[in-house]
Amino acid sequence: MARQDYQFTSESVSEGHPDKVCDRISDEIVDLFFREGAKAGVNPYQIRVACETLATTNRVVIAGEVRGPDLGAARFEQTAREAVKEIGYEQEGFHWRTANVEVLLHAQSADIAQGVDAAGNKDEGAGDQGIMFGYACRETPELMPAPIQYAHKILRLISEARHAGREKALGPDAKSQVTVRYANGKPVEATQIVVSHQHLDPDLSSEDVTAIVRPYVEKALPAGWITPKTVWHVNPTGKFYIGGPDGDSGLTGRKIIVDTYGGAAPHGGGAFSGKDPTKVDRSAAYAARYLAKNVVAAGLADRCTLQLSYAIGVAKPLSIYADLHGTGHIDEAKLEDALMQAMDLSPRGIREHLKLNRPIFARTSAFGHFGREPEADGAFSWEKTDLAESLRSHLA
């Protein structure tokens, strides 16, 4: 039987964290290919992007394999600079205008392409082998684990205030961490809160930064979760003046637990950012979250973990596994069969069902890929619960 009384911690990082700067640039490149490909009449199913970014002091390196409209290195460089500018970096050691941007993108491997592309009677295959997990639970209205959802919310609220010009003393780089106490299996309070936030005035103290960020933390967490016993750690090392890639190098794909469920659920190991939807690391993880969320939304279980597996060049998933953690009202083997019938889980089927052939990925690069509101242009379509009613009617 699962433990009912315990503490669990998850962290989040802001859009200005060095790794997230790289995720943002890589996802802007993905969006660029879909946006410009549509203008040029390129079949979106023929677009391929596998883009990695490295950032350090006044330097950005963009590398990887692509296929699609002919855009040129200057366009990629411009896209990277615009991303850094929007994040807010105009400091001496990392400035959107003066950073050296090196572009090393080249054509996709023909060996990979022949396995992935549809041809004759062969459907589009998965872009790689791997395992992907999806998860949902009843801890928050978004059906996400509470620690990661509230860690994200703290930084998102501060970021919105910073971009709106209400918090001019804060820089782009930040991290948060929330420790939640569970009683009888339910989250009830925050026992420890950590916020480390870059500040633009070198003379600000930890107490000064605490006064700035505390109202956002209080707004982010449910009423009553902050108590006199809650322990606060704000900029616990003292100053946090040098931030972003000038303070620490960044790479695409190094925050996969931040991107998903904060460690409350398994992760297959593959990163999301910089990848087009043929890469099942991304698209199948979105599909697994979508199905798990619909299972919980349908009232079939209070918690649901799903695993999908794929082989490179093979269209259909090799396996599906469901775990309802003892909270389900349906046989898990029966659920697995029903989910395979409810959605075509081939790369093409996922792209069509979730409408992923669009420039919707840059906004996923910070504050989590899951637990977000579906948007009018199709972004975060995997957060919809439009399958819940049909699943309920067939399985309840």
Side-chain angles (χ1 to χ4, degrees):
M1 182 176 179
R3 291 179 63 189
Q4 297 296 297
D5 301 291
Y6 58 94
Q7 296 185 62
F8 194 84
T9 304
S10 295
E11 70 158 343
S12 180
V13 298
S14 74
E15 77 270 39
H17 184 282
D19 296 329
K20 283 292 153 194
V21 172
C22 295
D23 284 348
R24 172 68 176 273
I25 292 171
S26 293
D27 273 339
E28 290 284 3
I29 298 297
V30 177
D31 283 357
L32 179 67
F33 269 90
F34 278 112
R35 189 179 299 112
E36 296 305 311
K39 294 177 183 177
V42 176
N43 182 348
Y45 288 96
Q46 295 299 312
I47 289 174
R48 300 287 184 269
V49 184
C51 177
E52 311 289 348
T53 302
L54 175 149
T56 186
T57 301
N58 270 334
R59 190 170 185 85
V60 174
V61 179
I62 304 170
E65 300 76 45
V66 297
R67 187 178 74 186
D70 185 10
L71 300 175
R75 191 66 183 277
F76 301 133
E77 177 182 339
Q78 177 190 6
T79 298
R81 292 192 189 281
E82 289 172 352
V84 174
K85 181 181 181 180
E86 187 170 328
I87 291 168
Y89 277 115
E90 295 185 342
Q91 59 196 47
E92 183 179 353
F94 196 71
H95 196 296
W96 64 270
R97 183 183 290 115
T98 59
N100 183 314
V101 179
E102 185 176 5
V103 177
L104 301 173
L105 295 170
H106 59 85
Q108 183 194 40
S109 161
D111 291 344
I112 294 176
Q114 70 177 352
V116 176
D117 289 347
N121 294 324
K122 174 186 171 297
D123 196 4
E124 179 181 283
D128 203 352
Q129 71 176 45
I131 56 174
M132 298 84 209
F133 287 92
Y135 181 73
C137 63
R138 292 200 176 279
E139 294 180 16
T140 65
E142 298 83 5
L143 304 185
M144 285 286 288
I148 186 65
Q149 192 68 12
Y150 295 124
H152 285 322
K153 191 173 182 180
I154 289 167
L155 295 185
R156 190 172 67 249
L157 291 175
I158 297 173
S159 174
E160 289 169 355
R162 184 176 63 83
H163 283 292
R166 297 195 300 272
E167 297 297 351
K168 297 180 180 179
L170 299 180
D173 196 357
K175 302 177 78 171
S176 67
Q177 191 166 281
V178 178
T179 301
V180 174
R181 182 174 71 84
Y182 288 74
N184 296 320
K186 299 183 183 301
V188 295
E189 66 175 348
T191 61
Q192 306 268 345
I193 293 170
V194 183
V195 179
S196 294
H197 211 299
Q198 182 188 13
H199 48 91
L200 303 180
D201 181 348
D203 295 326
L204 287 184
S205 66
S206 295
E207 291 75 18
D208 295 329
V209 178
T210 300
I212 295 172
V213 304
R214 182 166 182 139
Y216 298 102
V217 177
E218 293 173 340
K219 183 178 180 181
L221 270 59
W225 274 38
I226 298 175
T227 74
K229 294 182 179 180
T230 302
V231 180
W232 291 72
H233 309 271
V234 178
N235 285 12
T237 62
K239 295 186 189 306
F240 185 3
Y241 178 62
I242 301 173
D246 187 29
D248 190 11
S249 62
L251 288 170
T252 300
R254 284 205 303 197
K255 288 291 177 284
I256 57 176
I257 298 301
V258 170
D259 286 343
T260 53
Y261 307 102
H267 194 293
F272 301 159
S273 290
K275 297 177 181 177
D276 74 77
T278 63
K279 281 71 172 176
V280 284
D281 280 339
R282 177 170 227 160
S283 57
Y286 290 174
R289 161 63 178 174
Y290 172 67
L291 292 176
K293 186 175 183 181
N294 275 271
V295 167
V296 174
L300 301 175
D302 292 335
R303 292 173 62 200
C304 178
T305 299
L306 295 179
Q307 185 206 58
L308 300 172
S309 69
Y310 291 83
I312 188 169
V314 179
K316 296 295 184 182
L318 308 186
S319 66
I320 181 171
Y321 166 78
D323 183 358
L324 302 181
H325 305 278
T327 71
H329 310 295
I330 185 71
D331 176 73
E332 283 144 331
K334 185 177 179 181
L335 175 63
E336 291 163 356
D337 290 340
L339 293 177
M340 289 288 276
Q341 297 299 317
M343 183 178 179
D344 179 355
L345 291 170
S346 68
R348 179 182 289 271
I350 294 170
R351 286 210 274 178
E352 291 178 349
H353 192 107
L354 298 180
K355 297 179 172 57
L356 299 181
N357 289 334
R358 314 185 195 194
I360 57 172
F361 297 106
R363 72 197 80 171
T364 69
S365 62
F367 313 120
H369 292 244
F370 307 132
R372 309 283 290 271
E373 266 311 302
E375 297 184 6
D377 65 352
F380 303 105
S381 58
W382 49 93
E383 291 298 310
K384 292 181 178 180
T385 54
D386 52 347
L387 281 183
E389 183 57 41
S390 62
L391 287 175
R392 185 185 301 114
S393 63
H394 281 89
L395 291 170

